[in-house]
PDB file of all heavy atoms in Angstrom:
ATOM      1  N   SER A  25      38.780  18.355   1.886  1.00 86.00           N
ATOM      2  CA  SER A  25      39.373  18.847   3.129  1.00 86.00           C
ATOM      3  C   SER A  25      39.768  17.718   4.075  1.00 86.00           C
ATOM      4  O   SER A  25      40.824  17.782   4.724  1.00 86.00           O
ATOM      5  CB  SER A  25      38.378  19.775   3.831  1.00 86.00           C
ATOM      6  OG  SER A  25      38.823  20.146   5.112  1.00 86.00           O
ATOM      7  N   LEU A  26      38.934  16.667   4.135  1.00 86.00           N
ATOM      8  CA  LEU A  26      39.140  15.604   5.115  1.00 86.00           C
ATOM      9  C   LEU A  26      39.761  14.345   4.524  1.00 86.00           C
ATOM     10  O   LEU A  26      40.022  13.386   5.247  1.00 86.00           O
ATOM     11  CB  LEU A  26      37.799  15.266   5.784  1.00 86.00           C
ATOM     12  CG  LEU A  26      37.129  16.448   6.512  1.00 86.00           C
ATOM     13  CD1 LEU A  26      35.734  16.073   6.978  1.00 86.00           C
ATOM     14  CD2 LEU A  26      37.985  16.906   7.693  1.00 86.00           C
ATOM     15  N   GLY A  27      39.985  14.337   3.192  1.00 85.00           N
ATOM     16  CA  GLY A  27      40.695  13.242   2.558  1.00 85.00           C
ATOM     17  C   GLY A  27      39.924  11.940   2.447  1.00 85.00           C
ATOM     18  O   GLY A  27      40.497  10.863   2.579  1.00 85.00           O
ATOM     19  N   TRP A  28      38.608  12.023   2.174  1.00 84.00           N
ATOM     20  CA  TRP A  28      37.805  10.810   2.027  1.00 84.00           C
ATOM     21  C   TRP A  28      38.021  10.159   0.675  1.00 84.00           C
ATOM     22  O   TRP A  28      38.259  10.832  -0.330  1.00 84.00           O
ATOM     23  CB  TRP A  28      36.320  11.119   2.150  1.00 84.00           C
ATOM     24  CG  TRP A  28      35.881  11.711   3.450  1.00 84.00           C
ATOM     25  CD1 TRP A  28      36.518  11.645   4.653  1.00 84.00           C
ATOM     26  CD2 TRP A  28      34.685  12.480   3.660  1.00 84.00           C
ATOM     27  NE1 TRP A  28      35.798  12.301   5.610  1.00 84.00           N
ATOM     28  CE2 TRP A  28      34.668  12.824   5.036  1.00 84.00           C
ATOM     29  CE3 TRP A  28      33.648  12.900   2.844  1.00 84.00           C
ATOM     30  CZ2 TRP A  28      33.629  13.579   5.597  1.00 84.00           C
ATOM     31  CZ3 TRP A  28      32.616  13.630   3.393  1.00 84.00           C
ATOM     32  CH2 TRP A  28      32.603  13.970   4.760  1.00 84.00           C
ATOM     33  N   SER A  29      37.878   8.842   0.624  1.00 80.00           N
ATOM     34  CA  SER A  29      37.749   8.129  -0.654  1.00 80.00           C
ATOM     35  C   SER A  29      36.289   8.193  -1.093  1.00 80.00           C
ATOM     36  O   SER A  29      35.421   8.645  -0.337  1.00 80.00           O
ATOM     37  CB  SER A  29      38.172   6.660  -0.482  1.00 80.00           C
ATOM     38  OG  SER A  29      37.243   5.973   0.351  1.00 80.00           O
ATOM     39  N   GLU A  30      36.010   7.734  -2.317  1.00 74.00           N
ATOM     40  CA  GLU A  30      34.616   7.700  -2.787  1.00 74.00           C
ATOM     41  C   GLU A  30      33.768   6.785  -1.904  1.00 74.00           C
ATOM     42  O   GLU A  30      32.603   7.070  -1.623  1.00 74.00           O
ATOM     43  CB  GLU A  30      34.559   7.231  -4.242  1.00 74.00           C
ATOM     44  CG  GLU A  30      35.100   8.227  -5.253  1.00 74.00           C
ATOM     45  CD  GLU A  30      34.270   9.495  -5.312  1.00 74.00           C
ATOM     46  OE1 GLU A  30      33.039   9.404  -5.181  1.00 74.00           O
ATOM     47  OE2 GLU A  30      34.865  10.587  -5.481  1.00 74.00           O
ATOM     48  N   THR A  31      34.353   5.683  -1.479  1.00 76.00           N
ATOM     49  CA  THR A  31      33.617   4.760  -0.606  1.00 76.00           C
ATOM     50  C   THR A  31      33.314   5.406   0.735  1.00 76.00           C
ATOM     51  O   THR A  31      32.199   5.266   1.274  1.00 76.00           O
ATOM     52  CB  THR A  31      34.424   3.463  -0.401  1.00 76.00           C
ATOM     53  OG1 THR A  31      34.632   2.835  -1.667  1.00 76.00           O
ATOM     54  CG2 THR A  31      33.679   2.501   0.522  1.00 76.00           C
ATOM     55  N   GLU A  32      34.281   6.126   1.304  1.00 81.00           N
ATOM     56  CA  GLU A  32      34.043   6.816   2.577  1.00 81.00           C
ATOM     57  C   GLU A  32      32.980   7.899   2.424  1.00 81.00           C
ATOM     58  O   GLU A  32      32.129   8.076   3.306  1.00 81.00           O
ATOM     59  CB  GLU A  32      35.353   7.428   3.092  1.00 81.00           C
ATOM     60  CG  GLU A  32      36.326   6.404   3.651  1.00 81.00           C
ATOM     61  CD  GLU A  32      37.659   7.017   4.028  1.00 81.00           C
ATOM     62  OE1 GLU A  32      38.108   7.946   3.305  1.00 81.00           O
ATOM     63  OE2 GLU A  32      38.253   6.573   5.027  1.00 81.00           O
ATOM     64  N   LYS A  33      33.004   8.598   1.291  1.00 81.00           N
ATOM     65  CA  LYS A  33      31.968   9.600   1.066  1.00 81.00           C
ATOM     66  C   LYS A  33      30.595   8.936   0.967  1.00 81.00           C
ATOM     67  O   LYS A  33      29.598   9.456   1.493  1.00 81.00           O
ATOM     68  CB  LYS A  33      32.250  10.399  -0.211  1.00 81.00           C
ATOM     69  CG  LYS A  33      31.218  11.512  -0.457  1.00 81.00           C
ATOM     70  CD  LYS A  33      31.676  12.504  -1.517  1.00 81.00           C
ATOM     71  CE  LYS A  33      31.614  11.944  -2.909  1.00 81.00           C
ATOM     72  NZ  LYS A  33      31.843  12.988  -3.940  1.00 81.00           N
ATOM     73  N   GLY A  34      30.541   7.788   0.327  1.00 77.00           N
ATOM     74  CA  GLY A  34      29.295   7.052   0.252  1.00 77.00           C
ATOM     75  C   GLY A  34      28.784   6.644   1.626  1.00 77.00           C
ATOM     76  O   GLY A  34      27.576   6.688   1.892  1.00 77.00           O
ATOM     77  N   LEU A  35      29.698   6.264   2.526  1.00 83.00           N
ATOM     78  CA  LEU A  35      29.308   5.900   3.888  1.00 83.00           C
ATOM     79  C   LEU A  35      28.749   7.103   4.644  1.00 83.00           C
ATOM     80  O   LEU A  35      27.758   6.982   5.384  1.00 83.00           O
ATOM     81  CB  LEU A  35      30.504   5.321   4.638  1.00 83.00           C
ATOM     82  CG  LEU A  35      30.980   3.940   4.184  1.00 83.00           C
ATOM     83  CD1 LEU A  35      32.274   3.558   4.902  1.00 83.00           C
ATOM     84  CD2 LEU A  35      29.904   2.889   4.441  1.00 83.00           C
ATOM     85  N   VAL A  36      29.364   8.263   4.456  1.00 86.00           N
ATOM     86  CA  VAL A  36      28.863   9.474   5.107  1.00 86.00           C
ATOM     87  C   VAL A  36      27.465   9.812   4.589  1.00 86.00           C
ATOM     88  O   VAL A  36      26.551  10.109   5.374  1.00 86.00           O
ATOM     89  CB  VAL A  36      29.828  10.663   4.865  1.00 86.00           C
ATOM     90  CG1 VAL A  36      29.194  11.960   5.366  1.00 86.00           C
ATOM     91  CG2 VAL A  36      31.153  10.419   5.559  1.00 86.00           C
ATOM     92  N   LEU A  37      27.295   9.751   3.273  1.00 81.00           N
ATOM     93  CA  LEU A  37      26.003  10.097   2.686  1.00 81.00           C
ATOM     94  C   LEU A  37      24.912   9.101   3.067  1.00 81.00           C
ATOM     95  O   LEU A  37      23.744   9.470   3.202  1.00 81.00           O
ATOM     96  CB  LEU A  37      26.129  10.176   1.157  1.00 81.00           C
ATOM     97  CG  LEU A  37      27.032  11.282   0.607  1.00 81.00           C
ATOM     98  CD1 LEU A  37      27.152  11.171  -0.905  1.00 81.00           C
ATOM     99  CD2 LEU A  37      26.507  12.661   0.998  1.00 81.00           C
ATOM    100  N   SER A  38      25.271   7.847   3.243  1.00 79.00           N
ATOM    101  CA  SER A  38      24.262   6.823   3.528  1.00 79.00           C
ATOM    102  C   SER A  38      23.970   6.661   5.011  1.00 79.00           C
ATOM    103  O   SER A  38      22.928   6.117   5.380  1.00 79.00           O
ATOM    104  CB  SER A  38      24.706   5.472   2.950  1.00 79.00           C
ATOM    105  OG  SER A  38      25.867   4.995   3.601  1.00 79.00           O
ATOM    106  N   SER A  39      24.869   7.121   5.891  1.00 88.00           N
ATOM    107  CA  SER A  39      24.708   6.862   7.325  1.00 88.00           C
ATOM    108  C   SER A  39      23.457   7.525   7.888  1.00 88.00           C
ATOM    109  O   SER A  39      22.849   7.011   8.840  1.00 88.00           O
ATOM    110  CB  SER A  39      25.950   7.333   8.089  1.00 88.00           C
ATOM    111  OG  SER A  39      26.203   8.712   7.862  1.00 88.00           O
ATOM    112  N   PHE A  40      23.057   8.643   7.320  1.00 88.00           N
ATOM    113  CA  PHE A  40      21.806   9.286   7.733  1.00 88.00           C
ATOM    114  C   PHE A  40      20.649   8.295   7.713  1.00 88.00           C
ATOM    115  O   PHE A  40      19.807   8.266   8.619  1.00 88.00           O
ATOM    116  CB  PHE A  40      21.507  10.462   6.788  1.00 88.00           C
ATOM    117  CG  PHE A  40      20.074  10.947   6.843  1.00 88.00           C
ATOM    118  CD1 PHE A  40      19.695  11.912   7.756  1.00 88.00           C
ATOM    119  CD2 PHE A  40      19.111  10.421   5.988  1.00 88.00           C
ATOM    120  CE1 PHE A  40      18.372  12.348   7.812  1.00 88.00           C
ATOM    121  CE2 PHE A  40      17.810  10.849   6.034  1.00 88.00           C
ATOM    122  CZ  PHE A  40      17.430  11.820   6.949  1.00 88.00           C
ATOM    123  N   PHE A  41      20.612   7.463   6.687  1.00 80.00           N
ATOM    124  CA  PHE A  41      19.460   6.597   6.479  1.00 80.00           C
ATOM    125  C   PHE A  41      19.411   5.435   7.468  1.00 80.00           C
ATOM    126  O   PHE A  41      18.356   4.827   7.653  1.00 80.00           O
ATOM    127  CB  PHE A  41      19.465   6.079   5.037  1.00 80.00           C
ATOM    128  CG  PHE A  41      19.332   7.182   4.029  1.00 80.00           C
ATOM    129  CD1 PHE A  41      20.442   7.656   3.347  1.00 80.00           C
ATOM    130  CD2 PHE A  41      18.108   7.771   3.781  1.00 80.00           C
ATOM    131  CE1 PHE A  41      20.329   8.685   2.427  1.00 80.00           C
ATOM    132  CE2 PHE A  41      17.980   8.802   2.870  1.00 80.00           C
ATOM    133  CZ  PHE A  41      19.090   9.265   2.185  1.00 80.00           C
ATOM    134  N   ILE A  42      20.533   5.135   8.119  1.00 86.00           N
ATOM    135  CA  ILE A  42      20.517   4.107   9.165  1.00 86.00           C
ATOM    136  C   ILE A  42      19.621   4.563  10.311  1.00 86.00           C
ATOM    137  O   ILE A  42      18.723   3.844  10.761  1.00 86.00           O
ATOM    138  CB  ILE A  42      21.941   3.816   9.656  1.00 86.00           C
ATOM    139  CG1 ILE A  42      22.796   3.247   8.523  1.00 86.00           C
ATOM    140  CG2 ILE A  42      21.908   2.848  10.846  1.00 86.00           C
ATOM    141  CD1 ILE A  42      24.264   3.098   8.880  1.00 86.00           C
ATOM    142  N   GLY A  43      19.865   5.790  10.794  1.00 89.00           N
ATOM    143  CA  GLY A  43      19.019   6.334  11.845  1.00 89.00           C
ATOM    144  C   GLY A  43      17.601   6.587  11.371  1.00 89.00           C
ATOM    145  O   GLY A  43      16.633   6.350  12.101  1.00 89.00           O
ATOM    146  N   TYR A  44      17.486   7.058  10.146  1.00 86.00           N
ATOM    147  CA  TYR A  44      16.165   7.378   9.591  1.00 86.00           C
ATOM    148  C   TYR A  44      15.296   6.132   9.510  1.00 86.00           C
ATOM    149  O   TYR A  44      14.107   6.162   9.838  1.00 86.00           O
ATOM    150  CB  TYR A  44      16.360   7.999   8.209  1.00 86.00           C
ATOM    151  CG  TYR A  44      15.111   8.606   7.609  1.00 86.00           C
ATOM    152  CD1 TYR A  44      14.525   9.727   8.187  1.00 86.00           C
ATOM    153  CD2 TYR A  44      14.551   8.086   6.447  1.00 86.00           C
ATOM    154  CE1 TYR A  44      13.395  10.305   7.623  1.00 86.00           C
ATOM    155  CE2 TYR A  44      13.427   8.655   5.880  1.00 86.00           C
ATOM    156  CZ  TYR A  44      12.855   9.769   6.470  1.00 86.00           C
ATOM    157  OH  TYR A  44      11.740  10.327   5.912  1.00 86.00           O
ATOM    158  N   MET A  45      15.871   5.021   9.105  1.00 83.00           N
ATOM    159  CA  MET A  45      15.110   3.783   9.002  1.00 83.00           C
ATOM    160  C   MET A  45      14.783   3.220  10.377  1.00 83.00           C
ATOM    161  O   MET A  45      13.683   2.719  10.611  1.00 83.00           O
ATOM    162  CB  MET A  45      15.893   2.750   8.194  1.00 83.00           C
ATOM    163  CG  MET A  45      15.140   1.446   7.976  1.00 83.00           C
ATOM    164  SD  MET A  45      16.076   0.227   7.046  1.00 83.00           S
ATOM    165  CE  MET A  45      17.274  -0.265   8.286  1.00 83.00           C
ATOM    166  N   ALA A  46      15.721   3.337  11.314  1.00 85.00           N
ATOM    167  CA  ALA A  46      15.571   2.689  12.613  1.00 85.00           C
ATOM    168  C   ALA A  46      14.386   3.205  13.411  1.00 85.00           C
ATOM    169  O   ALA A  46      13.780   2.462  14.187  1.00 85.00           O
ATOM    170  CB  ALA A  46      16.858   2.861  13.427  1.00 85.00           C
ATOM    171  N   ALA A  47      14.029   4.481  13.237  1.00 88.00           N
ATOM    172  CA  ALA A  47      13.002   5.086  14.094  1.00 88.00           C
ATOM    173  C   ALA A  47      11.681   5.353  13.383  1.00 88.00           C
ATOM    174  O   ALA A  47      10.790   5.987  13.959  1.00 88.00           O
ATOM    175  CB  ALA A  47      13.537   6.383  14.704  1.00 88.00           C
ATOM    176  N   GLN A  48      11.513   4.890  12.142  1.00 85.00           N
ATOM    177  CA  GLN A  48      10.285   5.160  11.407  1.00 85.00           C
ATOM    178  C   GLN A  48       9.049   4.549  12.087  1.00 85.00           C
ATOM    179  O   GLN A  48       8.053   5.226  12.325  1.00 85.00           O
ATOM    180  CB  GLN A  48      10.398   4.608   9.983  1.00 85.00           C
ATOM    181  CG  GLN A  48      11.256   5.440   9.065  1.00 85.00           C
ATOM    182  CD  GLN A  48      10.605   6.745   8.671  1.00 85.00           C
ATOM    183  OE1 GLN A  48       9.385   6.819   8.530  1.00 85.00           O
ATOM    184  NE2 GLN A  48      11.398   7.763   8.500  1.00 85.00           N
ATOM    185  N   ILE A  49       9.111   3.262  12.384  1.00 87.00           N
ATOM    186  CA  ILE A  49       7.947   2.585  12.965  1.00 87.00           C
ATOM    187  C   ILE A  49       7.678   3.121  14.360  1.00 87.00           C
ATOM    188  O   ILE A  49       6.521   3.381  14.726  1.00 87.00           O
ATOM    189  CB  ILE A  49       8.169   1.065  12.994  1.00 87.00           C
ATOM    190  CG1 ILE A  49       8.319   0.531  11.561  1.00 87.00           C
ATOM    191  CG2 ILE A  49       7.010   0.360  13.699  1.00 87.00           C
ATOM    192  CD1 ILE A  49       8.656  -0.940  11.481  1.00 87.00           C
ATOM    193  N   VAL A  50       8.739   3.319  15.139  1.00 90.00           N
ATOM    194  CA  VAL A  50       8.570   3.892  16.472  1.00 90.00           C
ATOM    195  C   VAL A  50       7.923   5.267  16.382  1.00 90.00           C
ATOM    196  O   VAL A  50       7.006   5.599  17.151  1.00 90.00           O
ATOM    197  CB  VAL A  50       9.932   3.988  17.193  1.00 90.00           C
ATOM    198  CG1 VAL A  50       9.793   4.741  18.510  1.00 90.00           C
ATOM    199  CG2 VAL A  50      10.497   2.602  17.437  1.00 90.00           C
ATOM    200  N   GLY A  51       8.381   6.077  15.415  1.00 88.00           N
ATOM    201  CA  GLY A  51       7.791   7.399  15.228  1.00 88.00           C
ATOM    202  C   GLY A  51       6.319   7.327  14.891  1.00 88.00           C
ATOM    203  O   GLY A  51       5.506   8.116  15.394  1.00 88.00           O
ATOM    204  N   GLY A  52       5.932   6.365  14.026  1.00 85.00           N
ATOM    205  CA  GLY A  52       4.528   6.205  13.673  1.00 85.00           C
ATOM    206  C   GLY A  52       3.679   5.773  14.859  1.00 85.00           C
ATOM    207  O   GLY A  52       2.570   6.291  15.068  1.00 85.00           O
ATOM    208  N   VAL A  53       4.194   4.827  15.644  1.00 87.00           N
ATOM    209  CA  VAL A  53       3.464   4.367  16.837  1.00 87.00           C
ATOM    210  C   VAL A  53       3.293   5.509  17.834  1.00 87.00           C
ATOM    211  O   VAL A  53       2.209   5.722  18.384  1.00 87.00           O
ATOM    212  CB  VAL A  53       4.201   3.180  17.491  1.00 87.00           C
ATOM    213  CG1 VAL A  53       3.575   2.839  18.837  1.00 87.00           C
ATOM    214  CG2 VAL A  53       4.168   1.963  16.575  1.00 87.00           C
ATOM    215  N   LEU A  54       4.367   6.272  18.067  1.00 90.00           N
ATOM    216  CA  LEU A  54       4.290   7.398  18.999  1.00 90.00           C
ATOM    217  C   LEU A  54       3.312   8.463  18.508  1.00 90.00           C
ATOM    218  O   LEU A  54       2.551   9.038  19.303  1.00 90.00           O
ATOM    219  CB  LEU A  54       5.677   8.013  19.188  1.00 90.00           C
ATOM    220  CG  LEU A  54       6.707   7.159  19.940  1.00 90.00           C
ATOM    221  CD1 LEU A  54       8.064   7.844  19.940  1.00 90.00           C
ATOM    222  CD2 LEU A  54       6.246   6.888  21.366  1.00 90.00           C
ATOM    223  N   ALA A  55       3.322   8.732  17.192  1.00 88.00           N
ATOM    224  CA  ALA A  55       2.407   9.732  16.649  1.00 88.00           C
ATOM    225  C   ALA A  55       0.956   9.295  16.805  1.00 88.00           C
ATOM    226  O   ALA A  55       0.089  10.099  17.171  1.00 88.00           O
ATOM    227  CB  ALA A  55       2.730   9.998  15.176  1.00 88.00           C
ATOM    228  N   ASP A  56       0.677   8.024  16.522  1.00 81.00           N
ATOM    229  CA  ASP A  56      -0.695   7.540  16.641  1.00 81.00           C
ATOM    230  C   ASP A  56      -1.150   7.486  18.106  1.00 81.00           C
ATOM    231  O   ASP A  56      -2.344   7.573  18.390  1.00 81.00           O
ATOM    232  CB  ASP A  56      -0.817   6.153  16.005  1.00 81.00           C
ATOM    233  CG  ASP A  56      -0.795   6.212  14.479  1.00 81.00           C
ATOM    234  OD1 ASP A  56      -1.021   7.307  13.938  1.00 81.00           O
ATOM    235  OD2 ASP A  56      -0.547   5.176  13.841  1.00 81.00           O
ATOM    236  N   ARG A  57      -0.205   7.352  19.016  1.00 85.00           N
ATOM    237  CA  ARG A  57      -0.572   7.252  20.434  1.00 85.00           C
ATOM    238  C   ARG A  57      -0.598   8.617  21.130  1.00 85.00           C
ATOM    239  O   ARG A  57      -1.502   8.922  21.899  1.00 85.00           O
ATOM    240  CB  ARG A  57       0.387   6.318  21.177  1.00 85.00           C
ATOM    241  CG  ARG A  57       0.020   6.143  22.643  1.00 85.00           C
ATOM    242  CD  ARG A  57       0.719   4.965  23.268  1.00 85.00           C
ATOM    243  NE  ARG A  57       0.308   4.776  24.653  1.00 85.00           N
ATOM    244  CZ  ARG A  57      -0.810   4.160  25.035  1.00 85.00           C
ATOM    245  NH1 ARG A  57      -1.652   3.703  24.132  1.00 85.00           N
ATOM    246  NH2 ARG A  57      -1.099   4.026  26.317  1.00 85.00           N
ATOM    247  N   PHE A  58       0.418   9.460  20.874  1.00 89.00           N
ATOM    248  CA  PHE A  58       0.554  10.718  21.600  1.00 89.00           C
ATOM    249  C   PHE A  58       0.212  11.949  20.763  1.00 89.00           C
ATOM    250  O   PHE A  58       0.186  13.061  21.299  1.00 89.00           O
ATOM    251  CB  PHE A  58       1.971  10.855  22.151  1.00 89.00           C
ATOM    252  CG  PHE A  58       2.338   9.786  23.131  1.00 89.00           C
ATOM    253  CD1 PHE A  58       3.226   8.787  22.786  1.00 89.00           C
ATOM    254  CD2 PHE A  58       1.775   9.760  24.397  1.00 89.00           C
ATOM    255  CE1 PHE A  58       3.567   7.792  23.685  1.00 89.00           C
ATOM    256  CE2 PHE A  58       2.106   8.764  25.308  1.00 89.00           C
ATOM    257  CZ  PHE A  58       3.004   7.775  24.951  1.00 89.00           C
ATOM    258  N   GLY A  59      -0.032  11.756  19.470  1.00 88.00           N
ATOM    259  CA  GLY A  59      -0.407  12.883  18.628  1.00 88.00           C
ATOM    260  C   GLY A  59       0.719  13.382  17.754  1.00 88.00           C
ATOM    261  O   GLY A  59       1.881  13.439  18.178  1.00 88.00           O
ATOM    262  N   GLY A  60       0.373  13.741  16.528  1.00 92.00           N
ATOM    263  CA  GLY A  60       1.371  14.161  15.556  1.00 92.00           C
ATOM    264  C   GLY A  60       2.061  15.460  15.887  1.00 92.00           C
ATOM    265  O   GLY A  60       3.241  15.638  15.602  1.00 92.00           O
ATOM    266  N   LYS A  61       1.329  16.398  16.521  1.00 95.00           N
ATOM    267  CA  LYS A  61       1.943  17.693  16.810  1.00 95.00           C
ATOM    268  C   LYS A  61       3.143  17.549  17.738  1.00 95.00           C
ATOM    269  O   LYS A  61       4.223  18.068  17.478  1.00 95.00           O
ATOM    270  CB  LYS A  61       0.918  18.626  17.451  1.00 95.00           C
ATOM    271  CG  LYS A  61       1.539  19.935  17.950  1.00 95.00           C
ATOM    272  CD  LYS A  61       0.620  20.747  18.815  1.00 95.00           C
ATOM    273  CE  LYS A  61       1.369  21.933  19.423  1.00 95.00           C
ATOM    274  NZ  LYS A  61       0.483  22.797  20.243  1.00 95.00           N
ATOM    275  N   ARG A  62       2.949  16.841  18.836  1.00 95.00           N
ATOM    276  CA  ARG A  62       4.014  16.702  19.824  1.00 95.00           C
ATOM    277  C   ARG A  62       5.200  15.938  19.245  1.00 95.00           C
ATOM    278  O   ARG A  62       6.360  16.343  19.417  1.00 95.00           O
ATOM    279  CB  ARG A  62       3.477  15.969  21.052  1.00 95.00           C
ATOM    280  CG  ARG A  62       4.476  15.865  22.201  1.00 95.00           C
ATOM    281  CD  ARG A  62       3.879  15.080  23.364  1.00 95.00           C
ATOM    282  NE  ARG A  62       2.632  15.673  23.813  1.00 95.00           N
ATOM    283  CZ  ARG A  62       1.836  15.119  24.732  1.00 95.00           C
ATOM    284  NH1 ARG A  62       2.169  13.957  25.276  1.00 95.00           N
ATOM    285  NH2 ARG A  62       0.726  15.722  25.093  1.00 95.00           N
TER     286      ARG A  62
END
């Protein structure tokens, strides 16, 4: 529908992991400090 190349599709599929990686340690620190539920 949007006319992506295979490389562009790869960028879309992989971009999630940029954000996912960036906040892992911060998420762990926040969980250990403020609690996992919150």
Side-chain angles (χ1 to χ4, degrees):
S25 173
L26 301 172
W28 299 339
S29 68
E30 290 295 323
T31 300
E32 286 174 324
K33 183 166 73 170
L35 290 173
V36 171
L37 295 175
S38 65
S39 57
F40 163 88
F41 297 101
I42 297 173
Y44 190 66
M45 183 181 73
Q48 284 288 326
I49 297 175
V50 173
V53 171
L54 291 175
D56 286 342
R57 182 165 183 81
F58 298 108
K61 172 191 172 178
R62 185 182 304 174

